Amino acid sequence: MNNNKTSRRKFHWQWLAVPLLIAAAFGSVSAATCEGLADLKLPNTTITMAQSVAAGGFTPTAGSAAPYKNLPAFCRVTGVIKPTSDSEIKFEVWLPAANWNGKFHGIGNGGFAGSISYGGPAGGLSGALARGYATASTDTGHSGGDASWALGHPEKIVDYGHRAIHEMTEKAKMIIKAFYGDGPKRSYFASCSNGGRQALMEAQRYPNDYDGIIAGAPANAFTHILTGFAWNMKNTLADPASYIPAKKLKALEAAALAACDSRDGVKDGVLDDPTKCGFDPAVLLCKGEESDECLTEKQVAALKKIYAGPRDAKGQLIVPGFTPGGETGPGGWTAWITGATPASALQFFFSTQAFKNMVYNDPNWDFKSFDLERDSKLANEKLAPALNATDPNLKAFSARGGKLILYHGWNDAALPPVNTINYYQSVVTKLGKRKASNSVRLFMAPGVQHCAGGPGPDNFGQMVTSGQSDPQHDLTLALERWVEQGVAPDQVVATKRAAAQRTRPLCPYPQVARYKGSGSTDDAANFKCVMEQPGQNRRR
């Protein structure tokens, strides 16, 4: 994607145009008052409000104001950007009234987006503001949590795909310069899931937008992931006998852990790398009457397909399957793959919404009609140019000193962890190992579900909101130190706060954390990052 000469020429001229747009916008503006920003003229943009907000005075349009009571005073700017006649990109920029750290932090969106990310007590605009950043968020051009907005609106799909975040970023920087009299010294973006896809879009398409980017569990191979979702639903729901009830997941996870938990030297309920497990779900085949402790032949067959991932007619893997060992828990398979009841899982929601409203433009489309070969090709043809962030060519981003941190939880039941490994390896191949090591790091998090949660240590500052002060424990601060001081992160210590606190080092891939052999296995100090010899091939 975007590797042809025409695309490169187009983006080259976009980059050159940015300084000209900024110069035009600020020809007569410097260090404006907050309310004065309402008169700021920006390309294709209408400022709808510029308002000073007292400390603790922010009140959201919905929900309680209590989570925002500790926010400092800030200038709140809202607006609408219309790069096309069918665009309606709403955005907000929050500017600290005092103690600005001189930096900008862009905020991403999960799922189908559709709202400004305020963030509550931590996260979103409020989390970034609390840490001294000027910050911005967008609804990406539509309202609501489903994909009905996309039906018959190809330009809105482009806005959602990549244009809205870029437009928000450009306009936010202009507003920052107008308010403070100077633009941000550094710009950062951190988000997860669809926000991780947005992050990679920025690195690939708009390498001048951000100096440092964190992309968590990215849905970057968007059309392939949707195809995988539909594949899973077809295999578990088309024949009711193939459906795997949520009540069987406990036995399934227990069998996977029994097979592989101790292979890393520590039996702790977490698989350090499930792709090396070799777990065969056929061990759960019912020997007699069906129960919650066993699987039928059709359920085993469906499960093997979920683990393996879909392949096209030529045998090429479309998207990696899901890994064993993380089936239970609030963010596990009940939420994403099986559902509490048939057709209630989030994979069902996202795949049917996308195929109805983005691929087929038919609100009556039925997942039972899904055909892997036909529909995967059609999804790619219609949506890949706008939605897929799979381009490994990060040369422009790397050349200007940009730094990218990827992370993914091994227990993710929403987006396949191996997909992120495969993307990282494609970047290494494209850039070469030396250049890649200077600009890209991947951290795989054992036992962590989608973005957070799960039995593994899941608090490692993956968002701007962690409140940590040590780059060894905070990906955000580690990224900033890498960008600003040239110190690449050699590990990040993750924390799990439960009845007893557990810490573990997350190592830059392909290194893994191994127990030193003495001391508490709940203390990261007793582990070290090592390069393990290649074992069983990953599912690719």
Side-chain angles (χ1 to χ4, degrees):
M1 185 175 65
N2 300 331
N3 284 333
N4 60 68
K5 293 182 179 179
T6 302
S7 296
R8 288 199 297 267
R9 188 180 302 116
K10 176 181 177 183
F11 294 135
H12 174 70
W13 283 111
Q14 284 180 337
W15 302 338
L16 290 179
V18 171
L20 299 176
L21 289 172
I22 294 176
F26 300 118
S28 59
V29 180
S30 63
T33 64
C34 180
E35 282 69 20
L37 293 174
D39 298 324
L40 189 63
K41 305 302 181 186
L42 303 176
N44 304 315
T45 302
T46 301
I47 302 297
T48 56
M49 182 184 71
Q51 180 184 66
S52 295
V53 179
F58 175 70
T59 302
T61 54
S64 170
Y68 306 93
K69 289 301 183 184
N70 293 325
L71 288 181
F74 66 98
C75 174
R76 180 188 181 194
V77 180
T78 67
V80 179
I81 310 169
K82 296 185 177 183
T84 75
S85 59
D86 196 30
S87 295
E88 185 83 8
I89 302 169
K90 295 177 182 177
F91 73 105
E92 291 200 21
V93 181
W94 288 14
L95 307 151
N99 302 316
W100 176 43
N101 65 10
K103 304 171 187 179
F104 167 62
H105 202 290
I107 305 298
N109 309 80
F112 288 122
S115 62
I116 301 292
S117 300
Y118 293 120
L125 292 168
S126 59
L129 180 76
R131 291 181 67 167
Y133 296 90
T135 181
S137 174
T138 174
D139 64 359
T140 73
H142 61 273
S143 298
D146 61 18
S148 58
W149 51 269
L151 191 66
H153 293 282
E155 292 295 345
K156 290 187 183 297
I157 294 176
V158 176
D159 288 338
Y160 166 76
H162 60 87
R163 188 164 53 202
I165 292 291
H166 173 61
E167 289 282 348
M168 172 202 79
T169 300
E170 283 195 337
K171 303 311 186 289
K173 290 182 180 180
M174 295 177 184
I175 291 169
I176 290 168
K177 186 170 184 179
F179 185 61
Y180 294 113
D182 197 6
K185 294 179 177 62
R186 297 289 185 182
S187 297
Y188 296 96
F189 188 96
S191 196
C192 190
S193 192
N194 178 61
R197 183 191 64 84
Q198 293 170 332
L200 292 181
M201 279 292 194
E202 284 293 310
Q204 295 166 16
R205 289 176 177 260
Y206 309 107
N208 283 359
D209 279 0
Y210 292 96
D211 302 293
I213 291 173
I214 298 176
N220 65 312
F222 198 89
T223 59
H224 300 271
I225 289 166
L226 288 172
T227 297
F229 285 2
W231 160 262
N232 290 340
M233 297 305 101
K234 184 76 176 284
N235 284 313
T236 57
L237 297 177
D239 180 352
S242 297
Y243 176 68
I244 303 169
K247 58 187 179 180
K248 294 195 176 193
L249 295 179
K250 185 176 180 180
L252 174 57
E253 181 178 275
L257 292 174
C260 304
D261 187 8
S262 60
R263 69 164 298 279
D264 60 353
V266 178
K267 194 169 184 179
D268 57 358
V270 170
L271 302 186
D272 73 314
D273 182 346
T275 64
K276 297 176 181 177
C277 177
F279 170 65
D280 184 357
V283 300
L284 288 172
L285 184 65
C286 296
K287 303 298 191 294
E289 186 177 350
E290 182 183 0
S291 72
D292 294 348
E293 305 303 315
C294 67
L295 300 173
T296 66
E297 287 188 6
K298 288 188 175 182
Q299 289 168 343
V300 169
L303 182 58
K304 286 185 175 181
K305 291 178 180 178
I306 293 172
Y307 285 153
R311 293 183 179 272
D312 63 20
K314 296 180 180 179
Q316 296 297 311
L317 187 65
I318 294 173
V319 66
F322 288 84
T323 53
E327 290 83 1
T328 67
W333 283 38
T334 303
W336 284 97
I337 298 176
T338 65
T341 56
S344 66
L346 287 169
Q347 288 194 13
F348 179 86
F349 168 76
F350 281 110
S351 59
T352 55
Q353 282 290 310
F355 276 98
K356 285 179 179 181
N357 297 297
M358 293 180 168
V359 178
Y360 277 104
N361 289 318
D362 178 6
N364 296 315
W365 181 84
D366 188 339
F367 83 94
K368 292 180 182 178
S369 68
F370 174 79
D371 178 84
L372 179 62
E373 193 74 13
R374 178 195 67 213
D375 291 344
S376 63
K377 289 181 179 179
L378 184 60
N380 281 332
E381 290 171 2
K382 296 193 70 172
L383 301 179
L387 299 182
N388 284 9
T390 53
D391 187 354
N393 187 0
L394 301 183
K395 291 181 179 180
F397 181 71
S398 176
R400 63 176 294 269
K403 308 299 182 186
L404 169 66
I405 292 178
L406 295 148
Y407 72 88
H408 208 130
W410 272 120
N411 279 25
D412 196 335
L415 300 171
V418 176
N419 175 67
T420 298
I421 294 176
N422 290 349
Y423 176 71
Y424 167 77
Q425 291 179 327
S426 74
V427 173
V428 173
T429 300
K430 186 69 176 181
L431 297 184
K433 288 185 178 180
R434 184 180 63 82
K435 287 186 177 180
S437 68
N438 290 332
S439 55
V440 185
R441 287 282 191 281
L442 167 62
F443 294 89
M444 298 301 293
V448 176
Q449 292 178 333
H450 187 50
C451 299
D458 63 339
N459 183 353
F460 43 95
Q462 54 268 54
M463 298 296 188
V464 71
T465 59
S466 68
Q468 299 277 2
S469 59
D470 180 1
Q472 287 292 319
H473 293 78
D474 189 323
L475 273 186
T476 300
L477 295 180
L479 175 66
E480 292 196 10
R481 184 169 68 168
W482 194 11
V483 169
E484 297 167 20
Q485 302 175 33
V487 180
D490 56 3
Q491 70 171 32
V492 176
V493 176
T495 303
K496 186 69 177 181
R497 294 185 175 93
Q501 180 165 295
R502 171 184 291 178
T503 60
R504 289 284 176 86
L506 304 183
C507 306
Y509 185 86
Q511 295 182 50
V512 293
R514 284 292 174 263
Y515 182 51
K516 294 178 181 179
S518 62
S520 172
T521 57
D522 287 332
D523 187 347
N526 299 320
F527 290 76
K528 61 180 178 180
C529 291
V530 300
M531 188 71 74
E532 193 172 56
Q533 293 299 314
Q536 181 179 343
N537 289 334
R538 299 182 187 282
R539 293 188 293 276
R540 294 177 181 275

